[in-house]
Amino acid sequence: VQLQASGGGLVQAGGSLRLSCAASGRTISSSFMAWFRQAPGKEREFVAVINWSGVYEDSVKGRFTISRDNAKNTVYLQMNSLKPEDTAVYYCAVAPSNSLWSLQDPRRYNYWGQGTQVTVSS
């Protein structure tokens, strides 16, 4: 599976961005699809995951929405009310249905996109 993330950019605090992650090589309709992010000097952290419905990290609940379009083999992350602390490289990833690790653990994910930079200015 190849994942291509896009949609990042520079936005002012309070603004919005929509990230896209297009998959190729295999259909992802039955897979867990997630977004992680990594800020400079910090570990990669979970943001959101979707299979039939979305699960979110606490700091983005109510601001971010994960969705998928199985016909386009694409997952999205709509980010509203952005804050400077949301600044990071955002990665999309695919996980198998069964794993020893939780959906929030990056070790569960076996395919990763290249990342897209999101910068929120204050």
Side-chain angles (χ1 to χ4, degrees), residues 5-21 35 37 47-48 56 60 62-67 75-91 115-121:
S6 62
L10 173 63
V11 64
Q12 289 188 330
S16 298
L17 285 173
R18 188 176 84 151
L19 306 183
S20 299
C21 177
W35 289 95
R37 63 187 180 187
V47 176
Y56 300 91
V60 308
R63 300 189 298 122
F64 291 11
T65 302
I66 189 170
S67 62
V75 64
Y76 303 97
L77 186 68
Q78 177 67 44
M79 305 186 295
N80 300 327
S81 302
L82 282 161
K83 304 176 180 180
E85 50 264 43
D86 295 319
T87 295
V89 177
Y90 283 71
Y91 298 89
T116 184
Q117 176 71 48
V118 171
T119 303
V120 185
S121 63

Side-chain angles (χ1 to χ4, degrees), residues 19-110:
L19 306 183
S20 299
C21 177
S24 60
R26 194 189 82 187
T27 182
I28 59 166
S29 60
S30 60
S31 301
F32 288 97
M33 297 292 298
W35 289 95
F36 286 77
R37 63 187 180 187
Q38 189 167 18
K42 295 188 177 182
E43 293 186 351
R44 193 167 296 190
E45 68 171 0
F46 170 78
V47 176
V49 62
I50 188 169
N51 191 344
W52 304 112
S53 60
V55 175
Y56 300 91
E57 192 269 331
D58 286 346
S59 69
V60 308
K61 284 181 182 177
R63 300 189 298 122
F64 291 11
T65 302
I66 189 170
S67 62
R68 67 195 304 164
D69 185 336
N70 290 334
K72 295 183 178 180
N73 228 26
T74 299
V75 64
Y76 303 97
L77 186 68
Q78 177 67 44
M79 305 186 295
N80 300 327
S81 302
L82 282 161
K83 304 176 180 180
E85 50 264 43
D86 295 319
T87 295
V89 177
Y90 283 71
Y91 298 89
C92 58
V94 177
S97 298
N98 298 311
S99 173
L100 294 177
W101 292 298
S102 72
L103 289 169
Q104 290 81 4
D105 192 325
R107 292 174 294 181
R108 179 174 183 145
Y109 295 80
N110 47 7

